[in-house]
Amino acid sequence: MPKLALIDAQSKREIPELLDMEKEFTYIFETYYKKVFNFVYYRVNQYYTAEDLTSQIFEKVMIKINTYDETKSPFEVWLFAIARNTVNDYFRNLQNRKFLPIDSIKNLISKKKTPEDIVEIAETNDELLKALSILDERERSIVALKFGAGLKNVEISKVLGLTENNVGVILFRTMKKLKKELERMG
């Protein structure tokens, strides 16, 4: 009987800690879910795969949260390093190892469009997908982090281990390459 009382007392002490951890993780999830999902979706171009990978990412974050060291990097950089590694693992496990182009920005499209607008947007998205297929993995990652996750160049540089200037130059050249490809196609 005394053991039961000891276990209950210990459990009562752990409950507030678990509630605090749950609140912290809820905050992290609500704050970063959309950014992480967009980044993953831009990379894999499949809605349900992006959902699955995003769930895996947050599961890893929850498991590894105790390893995060704020003196090494900002939390967002740590989180997107996990996201990038998870996506890279996903592609590594595919047999053909072909990186798919970034999907169009469907989540950002207003819900009140006319049928003509929808057709025009779909055509533009198809052209964009074709143009994005000419990018290499690093260029797609930078575009996905910039426009999918909404990260700044400084944050992208920390996630990818590049200098901020290098990210800016690659992004500029990538946008120029995309523009040239879209003009060639159009």
Side-chain angles (χ1 to χ4, degrees), residues 123-168:
E123 289 173 358
T124 303
N125 289 342
D126 288 342
E127 291 172 4
L128 180 60
L129 287 173
K130 289 176 187 171
L132 289 168
S133 68
I134 67 169
L135 302 180
D136 63 32
E137 178 187 345
R138 182 173 70 168
E139 292 168 333
R140 277 193 295 266
S141 290
I142 291 174
V143 169
L145 288 167
K146 182 71 172 183
F147 300 106
L151 297 183
K152 297 176 181 163
N153 289 2
V154 173
E155 297 161 331
I156 295 170
S157 69
K158 291 177 182 174
V159 170
L160 297 178
L162 302 169
T163 66
E164 182 183 355
N165 288 339
N166 197 358
V167 169

Side-chain angles (χ1 to χ4, degrees), residues 98-125:
K98 181 183 179 209
F99 281 87
L100 300 173
I102 298 170
D103 194 15
S104 58
I105 310 171
K106 293 176 185 172
N107 291 336
L108 302 177
I109 298 172
S110 172
K111 291 182 173 116
K112 296 190 178 195
K113 298 284 184 188
T114 65
E116 294 83 14
D117 290 339
I118 293 170
V119 170
E120 185 179 329
I121 289 168
E123 289 173 358
T124 303
N125 289 342

Side-chain angles (χ1 to χ4, degrees), residues 16-137:
E17 291 175 17
L18 290 174
L19 290 175
D20 286 344
M21 286 176 56
E22 185 179 335
K23 284 181 185 176
E24 285 179 31
F25 190 73
T26 300
Y27 173 77
I28 291 168
F29 183 82
E30 290 174 352
T31 303
Y32 293 104
Y33 179 83
K34 188 72 172 170
K35 285 182 171 186
V36 171
F37 176 82
N38 284 342
F39 167 72
V40 174
Y41 184 68
Y42 275 41
R43 292 289 311 276
V44 300
N45 192 28
Q46 297 173 359
Y47 184 84
Y48 295 111
T49 301
E51 279 185 335
D52 291 344
L53 290 173
T54 302
S55 295
Q56 288 177 23
I57 291 163
F58 280 101
E59 181 180 353
K60 289 177 183 180
V61 167
M62 189 170 68
I63 292 168
K64 297 178 181 187
I65 193 74
N66 294 331
T67 65
Y68 169 66
D69 183 1
E70 63 187 37
T71 61
K72 290 184 179 178
S73 66
F75 180 79
E76 196 169 69
V77 170
W78 180 77
L79 173 67
F80 277 99
I82 292 172
R84 182 193 49 169
N85 291 337
T86 302
V87 170
N88 288 343
D89 289 345
Y90 166 76
F91 282 118
R92 203 173 291 124
N93 289 330
L94 290 178
Q95 287 181 349
N96 64 5
R97 299 188 69 193
K98 181 183 179 209
F99 281 87
L100 300 173
I102 298 170
D103 194 15
S104 58
I105 310 171
K106 293 176 185 172
N107 291 336
L108 302 177
I109 298 172
S110 172
K111 291 182 173 116
K112 296 190 178 195
K113 298 284 184 188
T114 65
E116 294 83 14
D117 290 339
I118 293 170
V119 170
E120 185 179 329
I121 289 168
E123 289 173 358
T124 303
N125 289 342
D126 288 342
E127 291 172 4
L128 180 60
L129 287 173
K130 289 176 187 171
L132 289 168
S133 68
I134 67 169
L135 302 180
D136 63 32
E137 178 187 345

